[in-house]
């Protein structure tokens, strides 16, 4: 055989999709692993024509699962963001949407045994150290995918998956405010650099001359904005202690604006070189925390927010995402305790994906 076969599940998690693999079926060395993932996805072509990617950053994501080494967790979830065209793999971030599919995938792979009508899968996000409890609908020992839950950005309905995130602060940088400030001014733009589930640089849309209600396509066409945003992101990353991030997707960038359609606030999230078609699960947590925390660029922008746990309706380009954040404010201290969301997932395919033996001959 001239190719190496690797077993996989192909799943939609939230508003992203990609292959879910067993970590033990892949190279342990990260450089060799990166070459294998590039081949699986087909990175290097705008349509990923020689792989199973979908030609967009939300469809070139990879989940790798294993029995957890953490006493609390059932499953270790190791994430990789593969670029569409550049042949690059970033192991630094995690992905909350792909994480939605980890519970069902763990049951499908036999890493977790389904119990009753709901099975709790406890997940450790290896990339950031976050712990997530996932409530998966099950029946007769199998995952239930059909249901009445709907999430904006995904057609149809499916069974709900409830997620509760813990230990989300400082996963990448070690602290909530990596620069030590709640607001920094970079190139005359005020930003809040925060690390909640995902390290982010957050600004007001109005400071870039935007409404914050633009479509993803309109923003992607605004190359002047992207050039200015990337310059701010690069400088902010240095202040955050993350160094040169010219080839890294983190920190991500986000924009905040007053709500337009009855939500808490309007948000736009960048991946970072294209606009996210909806909103990342991790990004929703960081943007929500920014809206709740006094002294940030989001201070005073949120409408209709109650006490902890606060339910936020974040308006994104294709609708709304609800995120519930338990937080505590004591004097000058702001603490994120936990974050809850409801998403859906679906198994799309299962079998073997192949990479040339010239790239990897297997174990």
């Amino acid at each position: 055989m001239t190719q190496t076969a690797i077993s996989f599940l192909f799943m939609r998690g939230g508003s992203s999709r990609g292959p879910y693999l067993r970590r033990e079926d892949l190279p342990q060395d990260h450089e060799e692993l990166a070459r294998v993932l590039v081949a699986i996805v087909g990175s290097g072509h705008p349509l990923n024509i020689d792989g199973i990617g979908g030609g967009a950053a939300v469809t070139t994501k990879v989940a790798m699962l294993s029995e957890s080494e953490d006493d609390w967790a059932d499953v270790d979830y190791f994430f990789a963001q593969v670029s569409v065209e550049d042949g690059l793999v970033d192991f630094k971030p995690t992905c909350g949407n792909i994480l939605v599919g980890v519970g069902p995938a763990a049951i499908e792979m036999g890493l977790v045994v389904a119990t009753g009508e709901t099975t709790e899968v406890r997940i450790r996000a290896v990339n950031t150290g976050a712990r997530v409890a996932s409530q998966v609908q099950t029946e007769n020992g199998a995952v239930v995918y059909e249901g009445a839950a709907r999430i904006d950005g995904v057609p149809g309905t499916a069974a709900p998956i409830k997620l509760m995130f813990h230990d989300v602060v400082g996963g990448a940088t070690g602290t909530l405010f990596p620069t030590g400030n709640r607001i920094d001014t970079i190139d005359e733009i005020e930003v809040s650099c925060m690390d909640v589930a995902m390290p982010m640089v957050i600004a007001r849309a109005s400071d870039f001359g935007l409404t914050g209600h633009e479509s993803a396509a309109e923003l992607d066409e605004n190359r002047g904005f992207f050039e200015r945003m990337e310059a701010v992101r690069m400088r902010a990353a240095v202040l955050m202690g993350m160094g040169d991030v010219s080839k890294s997707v983190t920190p991500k960038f986000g924009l905040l604006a007053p709500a337009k359609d009855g939500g808490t606030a309007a948000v736009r999230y960048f991946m970072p070189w294209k606009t996210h078609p909806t909103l990342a699960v991790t990004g929703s947590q960081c943007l929500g925390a920014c809206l709740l925390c006094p002294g940030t660029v989001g201070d005073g922008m949120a409408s209709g927010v109650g006490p902890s746990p606060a339910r936020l309706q974040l308006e994104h380009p294709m609708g709304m995402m609800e995120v519930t954040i338990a937080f505590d404010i004591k004097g000058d201290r702001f603490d994120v305790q936990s974050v809850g969301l409801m998403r859906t997932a679906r198994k799309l395919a299962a079998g073997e994906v192949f990479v040339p033996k010239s790239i990897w001959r297997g174990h």
Side-chain angles (χ1 to χ4, degrees):
M1 183 181 291
T2 60
Q3 298 198 85
T4 301
I6 303 170
S7 297
F8 81 117
L9 291 172
F10 197 54
M11 299 191 68
R12 174 183 64 78
S15 55
S16 297
R17 67 166 168 79
Y20 289 65
L21 310 162
R22 282 182 173 270
R23 184 68 184 93
E24 64 187 25
D25 292 341
L26 297 161
Q28 292 304 306
D29 177 76
H30 279 199
E31 289 187 8
E32 191 173 28
L33 175 61
R35 291 193 293 270
V36 170
L37 299 185
V38 165
I40 288 174
V41 167
S43 177
H45 185 279
L47 300 178
N48 303 139
I49 201 71
D50 200 39
I52 61 173
V58 294
T59 61
T60 57
K61 299 170 180 280
V62 181
M64 294 161 280
L65 311 187
S66 58
E67 292 184 10
S68 183
E69 298 177 357
D70 186 292
D71 291 339
W72 175 86
D74 302 307
V75 180
D76 277 352
Y77 157 53
F78 182 41
F79 171 73
Q81 177 68 64
V82 184
S83 68
V84 175
E85 296 188 61
D86 299 326
L88 300 175
V89 180
D90 197 343
F91 295 112
K92 292 179 183 177
T94 192
C95 175
N97 273 304
I98 289 294
L99 187 148
V100 180
V102 169
I107 295 170
E108 296 275 4
M109 291 178 179
L111 294 170
V112 174
V113 177
T115 57
E117 295 182 353
T118 302
T119 299
E120 180 174 271
V121 181
R122 292 175 298 177
I123 303 163
R124 179 175 75 111
V126 174
N127 307 68
T128 63
R131 298 178 181 183
V132 185
S134 175
Q135 299 285 338
V136 182
Q137 304 299 302
T138 51
E139 183 179 350
N140 297 324
V143 178
V144 174
Y145 291 103
E146 293 193 57
R150 184 186 301 275
I151 59 174
D152 289 338
V154 176
T157 63
I161 296 175
K162 295 180 180 179
L163 302 170
M164 183 60 69
F165 290 78
H166 304 275
D167 304 327
V168 294
V169 173
T173 66
T175 184
L176 176 61
F177 294 104
T179 71
N181 304 313
R182 298 196 179 190
I183 288 183
D184 293 281
T185 301
I186 301 174
D187 295 345
E188 301 182 347
I189 299 288
E190 286 192 336
V191 297
S192 291
C193 301
M194 300 181 67
D195 186 358
V196 180
M198 175 69 69
M200 287 192 67
V201 183
I202 304 170
R204 304 179 192 95
S206 59
D207 288 350
F208 283 95
L210 301 169
T211 66
H213 305 132
E214 290 85 357
S215 69
E218 287 172 334
L219 288 168
D220 285 343
E221 290 171 0
N222 190 342
R223 301 321 299 174
F225 159 66
F226 266 84
E227 290 174 7
R228 193 177 181 195
M229 176 183 70
E230 181 65 359
V232 173
R233 188 183 80 93
M234 293 279 288
R235 288 190 58 191
V238 174
L239 296 177
M240 296 169 75
M242 300 179 71
D244 180 5
V245 297
S246 57
K247 294 184 178 180
S248 177
V249 299
T250 57
K252 299 291 177 69
F253 205 95
L255 294 178
L256 298 174
K260 180 183 178 183
D261 299 315
T264 304
V267 303
R268 294 297 184 265
Y269 183 81
F270 304 90
M271 301 186 288
W273 303 297
K274 288 197 71 174
T275 310
H276 199 292
T278 55
L279 175 59
V281 167
T282 48
S284 74
Q285 298 174 57
C286 199
L287 290 164
C290 185
L291 289 165
L292 294 171
C293 181
T296 69
V297 295
D299 190 0
M301 191 176 294
S303 61
V305 176
S308 177
R311 181 179 294 180
L312 287 71
Q313 296 281 353
L314 303 180
E315 300 175 2
H316 58 70
M318 297 185 73
M320 203 95 69
M321 182 185 291
E322 181 178 294
V323 55
T324 301
I325 301 179
F327 65 99
D328 186 44
I329 299 176
K330 290 183 179 178
D332 292 334
R333 187 175 65 84
F334 176 81
D335 182 45
V336 178
Q337 298 165 328
S338 64
V339 183
L341 296 102
M342 187 283 293
R343 305 294 280 163
T344 67
R346 189 167 78 87
K347 182 172 70 171
L348 305 177
E352 294 178 327
V353 62
F354 296 88
V355 300
K357 283 192 178 292
S358 58
I359 292 174
W360 188 53
R361 301 191 65 84
H363 293 301

